Amino acid sequence: MTEAARAVDQTVISDALVRYIGEGRSPMPVDDPSSVTTTYPREALFLQQEISRILAVSEAITLHDVGPFDQSLRHRLHARIQELFPGLSGDAVRAIGWRWGFLNLR
């Protein structure tokens, strides 16, 4: 976690991630920076940078890292994301995992 991330409440980062990814609002991940800017105008620049950093790290997770492809894949993926970003909420971890699945399993 970066020094700047510690200055912003992890619940804000988690909420911004869920909004950005669009889980619960869209049938597929949407990567919507305007939802972050609208909700957190003062923190928007930092949040966009932090979201980009978190998503870049999560995109580097390979199926080999969390495989095999079976009924426990989601659990292992979420555990890996939580290990990489321990301050994120369960909702944020789930949203990142949902996005990861669309990028890697479709």
Side-chain angles (χ1 to χ4, degrees), residues 3 15 17 22 25 36 38 48 75 80 88 104:
E3 200 58 41
D15 183 63
L17 269 161
R25 294 184 295 116
V36 175
T38 301
Q48 293 292 350
H75 174 73
R80 179 69 178 133
L88 293 181
N104 291 281

Side-chain angles (χ1 to χ4, degrees), residues 23 61 63 65-82 90 93-102 105-106:
E23 188 186 30
I61 299 170
L63 182 56
D65 295 333
V66 293
F69 187 82
D70 61 13
Q71 291 186 347
S72 298
L73 174 64
R74 182 181 303 166
H75 174 73
R76 289 188 304 273
L77 174 62
H78 289 185
R80 179 69 178 133
I81 295 167
Q82 194 70 63
V93 169
R94 187 177 60 250
I96 294 167
W98 179 61
R99 182 178 184 274
W100 185 92
F102 270 85
L105 302 177
R106 299 228 177 238

Side-chain angles (χ1 to χ4, degrees), residues 35-49:
S35 66
V36 175
T37 303
T38 301
T39 307
Y40 301 105
R42 288 195 306 229
E43 299 95 345
L45 178 60
F46 165 75
L47 288 170
Q48 293 292 350
Q49 293 168 344

Side-chain angles (χ1 to χ4, degrees), residues 11-66:
T11 59
V12 171
I13 295 171
S14 293
D15 183 63
L17 269 161
V18 172
R19 290 175 185 278
Y20 180 89
I21 293 170
E23 188 186 30
R25 294 184 295 116
S26 173
M28 63 182 53
V30 292
D31 291 1
D32 180 13
S34 67
S35 66
V36 175
T37 303
T38 301
T39 307
Y40 301 105
R42 288 195 306 229
E43 299 95 345
L45 178 60
F46 165 75
L47 288 170
Q48 293 292 350
Q49 293 168 344
E50 192 65 6
I51 288 167
S52 293
R53 184 187 71 78
I54 290 169
L55 293 180
V57 171
S58 72
E59 288 168 11
I61 299 170
T62 66
L63 182 56
H64 178 74
D65 295 333
V66 293

